[in-house]
Amino acid sequence: MEKRKNLPARLGACLLALLLLAPAASADEVYPKTLTTQEYQTLNLFLSNFTEVGVGEISPFSPDQVLVDFAHDHLWCNRHDDFEFGEYFDGYNCRVADTDIQSVIDDYFYDAPQVDLRQTRLTYRDGYYYHQETGGWSSGGFALSASACGLGDGRWLVSFLVFGAGEFWDNSELDLSLAEAIDKYGDPCSQGAAVIYATDLADRSTYKMVSYTLV
């Protein structure tokens, strides 16, 4: 019960912090948005690319290692066939080429920087990222948006709840209402807020992340 009592205050603090970090907007530009079904599902899908990898805070200004590791983990969650399995040096048994790391960053972040591909928590050698795969990876869960507020110039301040960490889920969960998700998964495992750039909330191709924070 304590978790649910603290939720509005924690989300409010997170939203306020991100709003202060966002470029200033005039009062007539800031407005709440009632999401359509398509906008709700698309926003949830975009946010879930961040929640599933378990990143706590990220933006285009994050250190290169944070961005590179996000892109690597995104590939692991969504393009598993890109990874090669075998017997490599130092006991590593899994690797992926660095070929698409920059393109993932470019796809997901507003004004994405050019990163140093060598900056990573993983072992990097000759254009590959190596790790020892034991089957111990688990999803950080999926996001369901709780609110969206227009800030002008294509920017949106959104709050979200995270469900299903460590559990199996698929994209069909992204159209659940918050009440349905709580009924199925219990209390949210975390919550957060983000500033997103999108010219059309129903069109994933227009989305870019400006700032993302879990609380």
Side-chain angles (χ1 to χ4, degrees), residues 44-122:
N44 293 343
L45 176 62
F46 182 73
L47 290 169
S48 293
N49 282 283
F50 294 85
T51 59
E52 68 182 352
V53 302
V55 64
E57 184 176 358
I58 197 167
S59 80
F61 303 104
S62 294
D64 283 1
Q65 178 176 326
V66 174
L67 293 166
V68 169
D69 287 351
F70 165 81
H72 171 276
D73 296 349
H74 172 78
L75 292 175
W76 177 260
C77 290
N78 296 279
R79 289 165 49 179
H80 208 261
D81 289 345
D82 288 2
F83 287 76
E84 302 173 5
F85 293 85
E87 295 182 4
Y88 305 112
F89 62 94
D90 293 344
Y92 294 119
N93 61 5
C94 186
R95 71 178 188 177
V96 68
D98 65 9
T99 313
D100 293 328
I101 295 295
Q102 184 65 55
S103 64
V104 170
I105 295 169
D106 292 342
D107 184 46
Y108 277 90
F109 293 94
Y110 187 78
D111 284 341
Q114 193 75 23
V115 298
D116 180 353
L117 297 174
R118 299 169 297 177
Q119 301 301 313
T120 176
R121 75 178 189 278
L122 303 157

Side-chain angles (χ1 to χ4, degrees), residues 156-210:
W156 299 89
L157 178 64
V158 300
S159 65
F160 58 91
L161 304 178
V162 184
F163 297 90
E167 301 185 50
F168 175 79
W169 57 272
D170 58 35
N171 287 350
S172 66
E173 307 292 79
L174 302 181
D175 63 358
L176 292 175
S177 69
L178 296 180
E180 289 170 336
I182 291 172
D183 184 60
K184 185 172 183 178
Y185 290 95
D187 284 350
C189 46
S190 59
Q191 57 277 325
V195 176
I196 291 170
Y197 174 85
T199 57
D200 181 355
L201 287 176
D203 183 354
R204 163 62 187 91
S205 68
T206 72
Y207 277 61
K208 301 287 183 181
M209 181 61 73
V210 178

Side-chain angles (χ1 to χ4, degrees), residues 141-159:
F142 61 93
L144 295 180
S145 54
S147 67
C149 182
L151 300 177
D153 297 325
R155 291 172 296 115
W156 299 89
L157 178 64
V158 300
S159 65

